[in-house]
C-alpha cells in the first residue's frame, strides 16, 4: 500500500538556491503571530484544503486515494491552492497527513475505505521501538519536502505557507493503537505499566518531528504548527509527563531561522485549555485553542508573550450567514483589542459544510476586524 | 421495536406502603455525599452493571436485547445486583438507559446491532416539539419505577440505591441528532439559528427529567445522579445557555425528601471542568468530574459546600493490580483529608476490562482510605 519500507540511502538534495526568498505579499498571518499590528485579523481554516470543496474531491478522485494525493507533490500543491482561489484566506497550509512521519518510520500507513488511518505494523513491543529511527527527510519524506517547495514557488509570495506535524503524543497514540481509538487503552496501559518504554518511543518521535519541521522550514514553510489532537484525553499528570514535556522539547530545540525568515511555531491542542499557561511558557510563538474556552480567558492564561489562534466552533458553519457573522464577531470581541490574534476554527472544518459559508466567515472576519489606522 | 406509543391512561399506583424505609446497612456512600465522616472512602463505578461482567452478558443474552433487559424489572434487578455480589461496592445503581425518557415521549428508541442508540422519530421541527409532553411515570415509564421498587426491596438495605437520568442537553442531543454524533451539527445549528425552539425543547425535557427523578426517589432511589454526557462539546456561551441553565433548574426544583430519606443530587458531566464553581453553586449536593482534572483543583473550584465524585481514568483498569493501586492512591491523595469524597471512575467502565481488576480497585480504595477513628 505504501512504499515506506524502501529505506534506500536517498539523495540529499538540499538545494538552497531553490529556496524562495522571504516576504509574503499578504503577511497579516505572520505579523499576527509576531504580535505586530495588522490592518485586519488574519484567518485561515484548519483542513481548509479538504473534502468540503468539490474541486478537492475531483482532484482526490484523479489521485485514486487519499495517500496517492498526499504523496504526489503536484496534486498536493493543487489542492493546497484550491481554497485560496475561492476565499481571501491569509495563509496556505501544506496538504499532507499527520501520520507521514510514522509511515516513513516503516509502520505502513493505510486508509481502509470509510475508516480512519491505520498502520499495518503498529508498535507493540520494545523491539518494535528499537527498530524506529528518524526518517530521512529528503529520502522517505522527500515527497513532503517537494510539495513544500512546489507550493512555496506556486504561491509566489501571495500568502505565507504553513508546515505542520502531529505532536509526539498524538503520533504515539496512532502508532501504538494501530489507528484511531475510543479510549486509547493500549497506550495508556503502557503509560501506567511501562512509562520508560513510552518515553523511549516519544523521544525518537520527538527527534523525528523536530527534523521534519526543520526540513519543512528549510524547504520553504514560513510557519510551523504542531497538532496535539489527543493530548486532551489524558489526566493532568499524564498530560504533563507524556504530551507537554515533548511539546516543550520541540519549542526549545526547533530552529526557527533568522531575521525575516523566522518561522513562528504554533502549538495547537484539542482540550489544551487546562495547560495554556504552560504551553505559553514553552517558548512557542503561538498557542492554538479549541472552542471550549473564551479567547479573553485564553489570553489571560497565556499572558502577553504569545499569539493566540482560534477558536470558532466548526459547527457554526452549519448555521446561516447571519449567525456565522454574529459568532465570528463574538470570537473577535472575546479576543479584544490588541495584536496577536489569528482567527481560525477550534478544530478542522467538517466535510459537509457549504463552501459558501466559509466565504461568509472569511469576509466577516476581515470586515469586522478592520483597523482604520493600519495598512 | 418499542411499544412506547401506547400512551394509555396508565394506572397510578403510588403505593406508599410498598416504599421501603430509609437507612442502609452500609451508608458510607450517603454519608460521603452529605460530607459526613466515614470509616473509609465509598466507591461505586459508573456502568458497574455492564458488559465487562460475564454474568451480565448471560442475562442480556436471555433477555434477547439491551432494551428487553432494560424494560424487564426482574432482569434489570438481576443485573443491578450482579456487581454487588462480586465486589464490596458501596452503592447500587439502577440498571437502565439514559434514553428511557425520550423513548417514553414517543421517539422510538432502538439499538441497531453494533451501533449506539437511535430514535425512529427524531425531533426535526417545531411541530415535533409541540407533540412532546411529560410522560406518565407510572405509565410509559412504570417499568423503570417497578425496577427501582424491586431493586430496593432486593437490596434490603445492603447499600443505597442510585437513580439517574440523562441531562436535558444530553437527551436533546440524541433527540435532535437521532442518535450519537461526531460533531452535534444539527443541535448546534439549532442553538445558533433557533435558540427559542431549542429552549422550548429543553424546557419540556427538564420538566420530564424532574418528574422522572422525583418518581424514582418516591419508588425508592436514595440518591439521584444526572449524566450530562455531552455538555463538554459546547462553547462556554452555549454551555451556560443550553446545558448549565437546565441543570440549575433541576437542582433548584427537584424535591429531595425529608430527614433520613433525603436523596442527594449528583451532577456529573464529562468536560465540566470549566464550570465546576457554577455547578457547585447550583444547589446540587455533589458534583461528579471526569479524569482531566486533579481532585484537589476540583475541590478548590467547587468550594466546601458540595461533595465530589470521581475521578480515576477508566483506562487505569487495563493496567496491572500494582498500577491500579498506585493510581487509586493518587486520586485519594489528590482529594486529600476531609469528608465528602465518593470514589468513582471519571467515566463508565469499558466492556473489555478484566473484572478482577475492579475487585483490586474497590479493595484498594477501601484499604488505602481507612480512617482508624471512624467506624
Amino acid at each position: 500500500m505504501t512504499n515506506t519500507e524502501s529505506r534506500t540511502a536517498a539523495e540529499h538534495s538540499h538545494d538552497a538556491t531553490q529556496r524562495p526568498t522571504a516576504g509574503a505579499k499578504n503577511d497579516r498571518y505572520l505579523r499576527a503571530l509576531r504580535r505586530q499590528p495588522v490592518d485586519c485579523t488574519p484567518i485561515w481554516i484548519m483542513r481548509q484544503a479538504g473534502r468540503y470543496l468539490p474541486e478537492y474531491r475531483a482532484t482526490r478522485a484523479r489521485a485514486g486515494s487519499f495517500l496517492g494525493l498526499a504523496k504526489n507533490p503536484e496534486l498536493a500543491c493543487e489542492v493546497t491552492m484550491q481554497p485560496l482561489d475561492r476565499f481571501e484566506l491569509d495563509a496556505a497550509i501544506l496538504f499532507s497527513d499527520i501520520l507521514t512521519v510514522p509511515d516513513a518510520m516503516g509502520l505502513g500507513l493505510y486508509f481502509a475505505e470509510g475508516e480512519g488511518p491505520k498502520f499495518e505494523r503498529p508498535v507493540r513491543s520494545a523491539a518494535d521501538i528499537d527498530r524506529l529511527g528518524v526518517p530521512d527527510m529528503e529520502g522517505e519524506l522527500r515527497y513532503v519536502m517537494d510539495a513544500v517547495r512546489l507550493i512555496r514557488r506556486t504561491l509566489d509570495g501571495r500568502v505565507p505557507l504553513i508546515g505542520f506535524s502531529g505532536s509526539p503524543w498524538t503520533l504515539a497514540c496512532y502508532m501504538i493503537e494501530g489507528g484511531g481509538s475510543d479510549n486509547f487503552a493500549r497506550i495508556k496501559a503502557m503509560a501506567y505499566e511501562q512509562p520508560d518504554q513510552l518515553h523511549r518511543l516519544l523521544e525518537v518521535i520527538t527527534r523525528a518531528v523536530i527534523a521534519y519541521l526543520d526540513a519543512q522550514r528549510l524547504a520553504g514553510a514560513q510557519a510551523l504548527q504542531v497538532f496535539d489532537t489527543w493530548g486532551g484525553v489524558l489526566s493532568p499528570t499524564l498530560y504533563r509527563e507524556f504530551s507537554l514535556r515533548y511539546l516543550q522539547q520541540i519549542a526549545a530545540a526547533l530552529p526557527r531561522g533568522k531575521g525575516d525568515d523566522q518561522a513562528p511555531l504554533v502549538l495547537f491542542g484539542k482540550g489544551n485549555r487546562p495547560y495554556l499557561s504552560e504551553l505559553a511558557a514553552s517558548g512557542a510563538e503561538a498557542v492554538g485553542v479549541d472552542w471550549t474556552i473564551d479567547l479573553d480567558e485564553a489570553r489571560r492564561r497565556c499572558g502577553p508573550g504569545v499569539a493566540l489562534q482560534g477558536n470558532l466552533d466548526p459547527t457554526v458553519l452549519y448555521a446561516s450567514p447571519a449567525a456565522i457573522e454574529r459568532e465570528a464577531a463574538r470570537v473577535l470581541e472575546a479576543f479584544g483589542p490588541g495584536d496577536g490574534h489569528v482567527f481560525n476554527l477550534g478544530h478542522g472544518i467538517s466535510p459537509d459544510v457549504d463552501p459558501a459559508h466559509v466565504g461568509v466567515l472569511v469576509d466577516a472576519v476581515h470586515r469586522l476586524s478592520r483597523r482604520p489606522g493600519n495598512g
Side-chain angles (χ1 to χ4, degrees), chain A residues 328-351:
Chain A
R330 199 199 292 274
V331 169
L332 290 167
E333 224 167 87
F335 184 84
D339 305 310
H341 181 205
V342 173
F343 200 104
N344 206 317
L345 306 182
H347 197 52
I349 186 171
S350 297

Side-chain angles (χ1 to χ4, degrees), chain A residues 265-287:
Chain A
L265 172 68
V266 185
L267 299 180
F268 169 76
K270 200 154 171 278
N272 66 7
R273 172 190 175 116
Y275 314 105
L276 291 183
S277 63
E278 289 150 283
L279 290 165
S282 69
E285 282 72 25
V287 175

Side-chain angles (χ1 to χ4, degrees), chain A residues 131-174:
Chain A
R131 272 192 291 273
L132 300 173
V134 175
D136 184 344
M137 298 302 151
E138 295 290 346
E140 296 93 345
L141 288 165
R142 178 168 183 151
Y143 69 91
V144 176
M145 305 313 148
D146 282 344
V148 171
R149 284 184 280 263
L150 179 58
I151 297 164
R152 181 72 194 272
R153 268 203 311 276
T154 307
L155 280 169
D156 193 26
R158 199 163 144 193
V159 292
L161 173 59
I162 306 168
F164 72 93
S165 171
S167 74
W169 166 258
T170 295
L171 297 185
C173 283
Y174 287 101

Side-chain angles (χ1 to χ4, degrees), chain A residues 1-2 4-5 7 66-67 71 97-112 115-124 128 132 135 141 143 166-181 184 186-187 201 205 230:
Chain A
M1 177 88 33
T2 66
T4 49
E5 299 87 41
R7 297 197 173 207
F66 176 79
L67 273 183
K71 292 192 170 182
D97 191 77
I98 61 164
L99 299 180
T100 50
V101 168
D103 180 50
M105 284 170 153
L107 272 66
L109 178 64
Y110 70 100
F111 289 78
E115 292 181 71
K118 290 192 187 297
F119 285 118
E120 288 167 15
R121 293 170 291 282
V123 171
R124 288 287 150 82
D128 289 344
L132 300 173
L141 288 165
Y143 69 91
S167 74
W169 166 258
T170 295
L171 297 185
C173 283
Y174 287 101
M175 292 169 77
I176 288 179
E177 303 291 340
S181 173
F184 302 94
R186 281 178 191 274
I187 191 169
L201 174 62
I205 298 173
W230 298 125

Side-chain angles (χ1 to χ4, degrees), chain A residues 279-338:
Chain A
L279 290 165
S282 69
E285 282 72 25
V287 175
V289 297
D290 67 26
W291 66 92
T292 65
I293 183 167
D294 291 328
L295 282 190
D296 49 349
E297 191 181 341
R299 210 174 165 180
R300 243 185 341 265
R301 293 197 190 186
C302 283
V306 292
L308 273 177
Q309 181 178 282
N311 74 343
L312 189 73
D313 184 340
T315 62
V316 170
L317 292 174
Y318 291 113
S320 67
I324 293 168
E325 293 199 15
R326 188 187 66 226
E327 297 302 318
R330 199 199 292 274
V331 169
L332 290 167
E333 224 167 87
F335 184 84

